[in-house]
Amino acid sequence: MTLQWRYTTRDDLSVLSLAGSLGEQALARFGGAVGWALARGTGPVVLDLTALSGWSADGQRAIADAARQLATHQRTLELAAIPADGSLVPDGRCPLMPVHPDLDAALAAHGTQTDGTEARQEWRTTAWPGGAS
């Protein structure tokens, strides 16, 4: 399955949701999604991995690289719903990445409502699961 993404801005943070698999073939698409987040949002980025079916070691390194890239813009990367097939073990150069059990917990940690009323703007790949939200 090709990697799909959805990026949603909120008042105090942004959510980048992934669906599919984050492996070698998806690295360029993931990098583009991170670039999209950098260009269109402010504050922390929650990387929602709820719909991610799996990730490779390359995919995990890409997430650590994204955290470093965001940090150069004074933004943090937080993870929600890490896939069951592994845990992310960043190297010593990676900034701290808070990990939340799911997206609701990540949003609650920021005092953001989970009912969708605070979403401001959304972009997604054309094959995002579920179509329009």
Side-chain angles (χ1 to χ4, degrees):
M1 173 188 233
T2 303
L3 183 73
Q4 302 297 322
W5 59 265
R6 178 180 65 199
Y7 180 67
T8 307
T9 60
R10 296 173 173 267
D11 285 339
D12 57 347
L13 58 84
S14 301
V15 177
L16 177 58
S17 301
L18 302 181
S21 180
L22 182 55
E24 184 179 349
Q25 295 178 342
L27 297 181
R29 183 171 271 213
F30 175 67
V34 172
W36 194 273
L38 278 168
R40 288 166 179 79
T42 60
V45 175
V46 175
L47 186 60
D48 175 20
L49 305 174
T50 303
L52 195 67
S53 60
W55 55 3
S56 68
D58 288 334
Q60 292 180 26
R61 280 190 290 277
I63 290 173
D65 290 343
R68 284 189 287 275
Q69 185 179 10
L70 286 161
T72 65
H73 296 273
Q74 289 71 52
R75 296 180 69 188
T76 59
L77 182 68
E78 301 183 19
L79 305 178
I82 288 179
D85 65 345
S87 61
L88 182 65
V89 182
D91 61 28
R93 300 174 299 134
C94 190
L96 177 67
M97 285 186 288
V99 176
H100 306 278
D102 55 36
L103 182 57
D104 287 344
L107 295 176
H110 290 276
T112 301
Q113 296 187 21
T114 59
D115 62 5
T117 57
E118 289 191 18
R120 296 294 174 231
Q121 204 162 12
E122 178 181 288
W123 300 268
R124 63 183 171 279
T125 54
T126 56
W128 177 255
S133 54

